[in-house]
Amino acid sequence: HLFRSHLASLTVPQALLGILFHCAEYPAFVAADDDDDDGKREEGEDTNVVMKGIDLGFCQKGSDCRPNMDEWRYRNVLWSTWWPLEEP
């Protein structure tokens, strides 16, 4: 799993600060026509795999991260705050 974040700030008309946190940045590659890595569908297996058939390159190789759609919707967290600017 790769975790990272983005920092953003804005100072007009008030000071704003936000951090967007990501998790599960590079899920394991699953072929578009494959239910899992061995090509067999197990009884009760969740086949609702995120990004099926999409190769994200080097960082994805060897990943064991296999989120499903229910887990994927919680992969981002946005923290933000603001404060008034002082009058000149």
Side-chain angles (χ1 to χ4, degrees):
H1 309 289
L2 180 63
F3 301 91
R4 68 184 182 123
S5 62
H6 304 276
L7 177 66
S9 64
L10 180 66
T11 56
V12 177
Q14 58 197 15
L16 300 169
L17 177 66
I19 304 174
L20 176 63
F21 296 95
H22 296 291
C23 67
E25 191 76 15
Y26 292 97
F29 178 77
V30 176
D33 60 350
D34 196 357
D35 288 323
D36 62 14
D37 292 337
D38 64 5
K40 300 175 187 170
R41 184 174 178 182
E42 304 295 327
E43 184 67 30
E45 180 180 24
D46 184 4
T47 58
N48 190 17
V49 178
V50 175
M51 297 176 64
K52 197 176 227 183
I54 299 174
D55 185 357
L56 298 174
F58 177 78
C59 288
Q60 188 180 32
K61 292 186 185 339
S63 173
D64 63 353
C65 177
R66 302 212 25 158
N68 61 36
M69 292 301 252
D70 290 333
E71 295 166 337
W72 193 255
R73 66 184 172 160
Y74 298 112
R75 72 180 277 266
N76 296 315
V77 174
L78 176 62
W79 176 87
S80 65
T81 189
W82 69 274
W83 59 94
L85 295 175
E86 294 181 31
E87 294 291 324

